Amino acid sequence: MKPILRLSAKAAKYVSLLVAAVVCVGPLTVVLFASLKTKQEYATTGPLDPPADWLNFANFGTAFTNGQMMRGFVNTAIILAVSLTGAIFVGTLAAYALDRFAFKGKKLVYGAFLLASLIPSVLMQVATFHIIYGLGLFNTRGAAIVLFMGTDVIAIYIFLQFMASIPISLDEAAMIDGASRWTIYWRIVLPLLRPAIATAVIIKGIAIYNEFYIPFLYMPSRDLGVISTSLYRFKGPYGAQWEVIAAGTILVILPTLVLFLFLQRHIYRGLVAGAVK
Amino acid sequence: MIADKAPDPKPTKPRRGPTTRRRVVQAITPWAFLALPLGLLILLTYLPAFNLIRYSFTDWDGIDPEQNWVGLANYRRMATDPTLYRVLLVSLFYLVGAVAQIAIALYFATILSFKVFAKNLFKGILFFPYLINGVAVGYVFLYLFRKDGTLDTTLAFFGLQDPPLWLGDPKLINASLAGTSVWRFTGMNFVLFLGAIQSIPGDLYEAAELDGANSWRRFWHIILPGVRRVVTLSFILAISGALAVFEIPYVMTGGGNGSKTFAIQAVEMAFVHRKVGLASAMALVLLGMVLAVTWIQRRFFPDERAELT
Amino acid sequence: MRIKMQAAAAIGALACLVLSGCGGGASDSPATSGGPSASGGGDVAAEAPAGELKVLTHRTDLDQDGTLQGYADQFMAKYPEVTKVEFESITAYDDDVPLRLSTGDFGDVLSIPNGVTNDQLAQFFEPIGSKADLSAKYRFLDSFAVGEQVYGLAQGGIATGVVYNKKVFADAGVTTAPTSYDDFLAALEAVKANTDAVPLYTNYKDGWPLGDLQRNMGVAKGNANAKNDMTGDDAPWAEGGDAYWLDSLLYDAVDRGLTEADPTTTNWEESKTLLGSGQVATLVLQSWAISQMQTAAVDAGASADDIGFLPVPSAVAGKSYAAVLGDRYYAVNAKSANKVTAKAWVEFMIEESGYDAKEGFVSTLKSAPLPSNLSALSDLGTELFEPTAAPAGEEGLFDAIDTAAEIGFSSAPYRQALVDKARQHTAKADAFGELNAKWAAGRAAAG
C-alpha cells in the first residue's frame, strides 16, 4: 500500500473513532453541564455551553434529598445483595444438576429454561402480578428479590459453561472418599466456580441495578423506591427543572461508571460468556 | 457416580434391596438439586404463562374477580383484525436500526482489534452506554431531542438552522427512537464481536501479513469468517428484539405520535381498554412470532444458538 | 343538582331491587355484596376511630411535600386513639391500583382509580350510605353510586373551563371574553398572529389532561344528560352532537396549528410556568388548576391576576355553560379491618381538613359556599350544572360500550390519537366517522 493511502486510511480510522466517541459521550456530557447550572443560568444558556461554576452541586443536593435517592440506593443495595446471593445459589444448583448427572427429562429441563428466556416478560406481568400477590410479596422488597432470583437463565449458562471445564476426576476422587453429592457441590464445585460467579454477579448486578418495570409495578410504596423508580418519580414534581433532573440522572449513572472503571475486564468477559455459547 | 461421564461400575454384591434403593436415590438426586431452580421457574414463569393462556380464552378485565370463558373469540379477533398488526411496521425501524448497529459494532470491533492509540479508552467509551440505566437513557435522549435541545443546538453550531422536530414529526419519531436504541445497544454487540475477533488464532494474521494481504482482504477472509457465528446470532436476536421492543418508546413517548409498538399496544389493551383476555392473546401471538424466528434460525443455522437476549 | 334530589328519592324504592338484580346479573357478587350494605352507617357512631390507617393517594406531590402528613397530624390530634396514618402515593395511579383491586390490598381508604366500572363498586368498596341520607349534606353523590347505594364521596368538586393568561389575550387584541366556539377559535388565531405565545397547549405527553377533557362532555350545549344520551346514540360524533363538540375544540385547534409545535415533549410542570409567564395563552383544564397556575405565574415573576378562567366555548349563541362535578372520589376498602377510622378519615378530609379550600375545589359539603375562583364564571353569566346520573340499572352501560368499542373515552391514548390525526390534517369528518363506527360497534356488542 502506498504511504499516502496508508496515512489517510489511518486518519479515517481515528476520525471515525473520535466521532463515535463524541456521539457516545456527548449526550452525557451536556446532561452533566446542565446538572451544574443554576436555574437562571440554565434558562439563559444553550445546552452546549459549559457551566459557569463547575463546583455548583446545589442541584445534586436537591435531587438527592427531594428525590429520595438515598433510600433508592439503600433499597437497590438490599435487593442486589439478597437476590444475587439467591440467584447464584439457584443458578449453580441447576447447572450442577444439568452438567453432572444423566437423567430422564434432562433435555426437557434444559428446554424449559431455554424457552423461559424467550418469553417477553413485560407482557406476562398481569399474570405474574397475581402470583406475587398470592405469595404475599406485593409491595415488599421480596417481590423484586424473588423475581430477580427466579427468572435468571443467563447465570445458568455461564455456570454450565464454566463447569464443563472443572474436571470430573475431582468429583470422583471426592466420591471415593465418601463425600455426598451435596458435599461435592458445596465444597468442591462451588468454590471452583468462583470466577464464573464473579462474572454472573457483575452481569446480573448491572441488570438488576437498571431494572425499572419490576420495582415500578410490584413496589409502588415510596419507601420501597429503588434507583430507577426514584429517578422516574422524580420527573413529576421537577418536570420543569431540567437542571435538577439532569443532576438526578447523573447521580444514577455515577455508580455504574465507577464500577465500570474498576471492573472493565470482568464485565467484558462476562458479557461474552453470557451471550454466546 | 458421574453418571453421564463415567460408566456405572457393577455392584460387587448384586443384592436386591440396596440396589433398588441406590437406584431410587440416584434417580432422585438430580431432581433434589433441581428442586429449587425448577420450582422458581415453574412458579414465576410457567405458572403465569399458563394463566396467560387461560386468560386468553376469557373476557377478563383485570379487575373483576370473575372471568367469563369466551372460547376462541380473542384468537378469532387476532386472526381477522389486520389493524392489530399495523403497529408491527414500527418494528421495521428498530430492525433497520439493529442492522446499522451490527454494522457499526463490527466496524469498530475490527478497528479496535488491531493496534490503536488509546485502545482501551475507546473501547470503554463505545461500550459504556450499554450499562446505563434505561430511565436515565430516556431522560438523556429527551433532553437531546427536545426543541432547542442538544441536537438542535449542535446542528445550529454547524450552520444547520430550522431543524425538524425529532420526536414531534411522525415521520421521524420512530427513527429517533430507533437511534436511541442503537446508541444504547451498539456497545453490547461491539464487545461480543471484539471477543470473537480476539479468539481468532494469531497465526492466521501472520500468514496473511506474509502474503501481503491488505486490511480489507484481511477483514474479508479472516475476520468475517471468524465472527460469522456471533454476527448471525446477533441478527436473529435483533429480529426478535425488534418484534418485542417496549422499553425505549414506552419510557420516552408512551407510544404517542405513531411510536406505538406491538408490546405497547398489548399493554394498552390490558390497562386502558381493560381487555386482559385479548391482551393475553396478543402476548401469546407475539411469543409465537418470537419462537418462530428462533425456530427458523435453528433450522437453517443449526450450529448457532440464539439462546439469550 | 336541584332536580336530582327528588329523582333520587323517587327511585329509592326501586334501588334495592336494582341492587339485588345487579348482583344476580354479575353472577359472582353474592360473596362480596349483600352483607355490608345494611349495617354500614350504624357502626360509625358506635366505635371511635382508632389504630392504624393506610391511605392510597394519587397526590404524589402532596405526599412528597408533607401536606398529607399535616392532615394526618390534625386527624390524629382529633382522634388520639389513631396511632398512625400511612400514605402510599402512586405515580401511575390508574395503571397500578386497578391491578390491586381484586387482591383486596389497596389500603383502608383510597382514591377510586379510573377503570373501575360502577357495577364493580360493590365488590371492592364499602357502602358509605344511602343517597337519601347523604344528600342532605353532600354534593356529587352520583358518580360512584349504584341505585341508592353510595360508594364514593368526592374529594372536592370542580368546574369545567379554560385557564388563560389575560395579558396574552390583551396583547393579541382580544378584549372581550370569548365564550362562543367561534370567538374562542378567533381569539386563538389572534394570539397566533399577534404574539409569540402558543395559543393552546395540549399537554399531550403527560396525557391525563387530554383524558380529563371528557369532563367537558355536554358542556358546549349545556346538556347535563349528554353521557347518558350517548349510550343510545350510534353516531355521537356526528356534526352537532355532544361528543362532536367535545372533541372538535381540540381537533380544530390542532388542525389549524394553534397548539404547541412539538406535542411529544410537553411537560405538565412546565406548562404551568409557560402559562404563568405568558408563553402559552390557554389550557383546557378545570377550576382546580386556577390556584396552581396563579402560583406558577407568581413564581415566574408575573402576577396572579394574569390568570383568568373562561367557560368551555359554547355552541349555543349568547349562552355559556360549565359542568360542576366531583374530582377524584374517596372510597373505603370493603376488606378494610378498620372501616370506622377509614370513614372518619373521609369525613375529616371533606369537612375539616381544608384540603378542598387549598385546592380551590367546590366543597363537597352543600353548606359551603362556592369558591371564589368561580366568580369569573358567574360574572360571565355562565350557567352551572351537574351532570345527570345514569338511569338506574344502566350505571355501567357507558363503560361497557366504551370498553367494547375500544375507544377509551376518558383515556389519554384516545385523544393523543386524535391529535396525531389532526396534525396530519386528516379530515375531521373521517376521524370522527371512525369513532362513530367504533361506538356503534361497541353499542351492538355491549347493548
Side-chain angles (χ1 to χ4, degrees), chain B residues 204-226:
Chain B
L204 279 179
Y205 295 118
E206 283 161 31
E209 200 83 35
L210 287 178
D211 290 348
N214 64 24
S215 1
W216 174 248
R217 283 172 61 182
R218 234 175 4 188
F219 173 77
W220 196 250
H221 292 293
I222 302 174
I223 293 178
L224 204 54

Side-chain angles (χ1 to χ4, degrees), chain C residues 161-162 164-166 169-170 173-191 249 281-282 309-314 319-320 377 380 382:
Chain C
V162 177
Y164 73 109
N165 188 307
K166 292 178 187 167
F169 267 25
V174 180
T175 47
T176 51
T179 55
S180 80
Y181 192 81
D182 293 337
D183 287 352
F184 187 79
L185 277 185
L188 296 185
E189 294 278 10
V191 169
L249 182 61
T282 65
F309 193 57
L310 286 171
V312 169
S314 151
K319 295 224 169 195
S320 65
L377 295 183
L380 290 167
T382 301

